[in-house]
Amino acid sequence: MRRLTFAVWAASALAFATPLSASHADTPAAPAAAPTPDQQQNWQQIREQRRQERATIFDARLTGFKASLALTPDQEKNWAAFEAALRNAAASRPDWRRQDGPRGDGAREDGDARPSPVDVMRRLSQRLGDRSTQLTALADATAPLYTSLDDKQKLVFDATLRELWRERRAAGERHRHWQ
């Protein structure tokens, strides 16, 4: 009885699915509607608002980072260079996304085709080179501060910087997810 019921169910599913799929194959896909200028302006405002929110959160975390270290006056002298290098490294990442176009694939807004794999590799190479330069500058600015810290401050520094990087990476992944 079960086999018969299953066979009837499967046959009816196939009988109904075939005409439906054929009817949908004949209809052309509807073209995607281009966003209106009002929508584009609204999206731009939302992006700017989110950028400002992220900058405010980053400032608060950096202030907390500095406070958690309880720096001595001698160590304070090295903080400014570290902070400037960290801000520079954090601020440069969104610039890469803007260079890649609105979809992140390098395609231009005028609807031109996607870039070739060679163009993608060259752009990636350029970005990695830029990132390498920024990380070297950050390491150079961090070295004097880090060497002046005691063991307890180094533990706090390591954990806090790791968490700061993790948050930036997670924010970047969320951004790519919604693009």
Side-chain angles (χ1 to χ4, degrees):
M1 184 69 180
R2 285 185 182 173
R3 287 185 183 169
L4 180 62
T5 305
F6 181 74
V8 169
W9 180 80
S12 64
L14 287 174
F16 287 116
T18 304
L20 287 175
S21 64
S23 67
H24 286 297
D26 296 338
T27 56
T36 65
D38 289 339
Q39 288 175 326
Q40 290 177 347
Q41 183 180 8
N42 187 30
W43 294 340
Q44 182 64 29
Q45 289 172 348
I46 290 171
R47 279 193 296 268
E48 180 61 26
Q49 182 181 9
R50 287 185 182 157
R51 188 196 63 74
Q52 289 174 355
E53 289 170 357
R54 284 191 304 269
T56 302
I57 291 169
F58 184 72
D59 289 343
R61 287 191 177 146
L62 209 50
T63 301
F65 187 9
K66 184 177 179 181
S68 68
L69 289 175
L71 299 174
T72 65
D74 289 337
Q75 294 169 334
E76 285 271 346
K77 295 175 187 172
N78 298 324
W79 177 262
F82 166 72
E83 182 179 0
L86 189 61
R87 285 182 185 279
N88 183 33
S92 66
R93 294 188 75 182
D95 292 341
W96 294 344
R97 291 187 191 105
R98 279 193 286 275
Q99 291 172 356
D100 277 348
R103 295 189 314 237
D105 60 3
R108 297 190 310 235
E109 290 187 40
D110 60 2
D112 198 8
R114 294 179 78 145
S116 72
V118 174
D119 293 337
V120 171
M121 287 185 270
R122 285 191 176 129
R123 192 170 37 256
L124 179 60
S125 173
Q126 178 65 42
R127 283 189 285 185
L128 290 173
D130 293 345
R131 188 72 175 152
S132 174
T133 302
Q134 291 166 351
L135 287 174
T136 302
L138 179 59
D140 292 344
T142 304
L145 175 65
Y146 192 76
T147 56
S148 69
L149 300 176
D150 63 26
D151 290 341
K152 182 182 173 189
Q153 288 175 316
K154 285 182 180 180
L155 284 174
V156 172
F157 186 92
D158 294 347
T160 308
L161 188 63
R162 195 173 310 118
E163 185 62 28
L164 202 64
W165 282 115
R166 192 174 295 136
E167 285 296 321
R168 294 293 294 178
R169 190 174 324 125
E173 289 170 4
R174 283 190 301 270
H175 177 74
R176 283 190 299 275
H177 174 72
W178 290 105
Q179 276 187 340

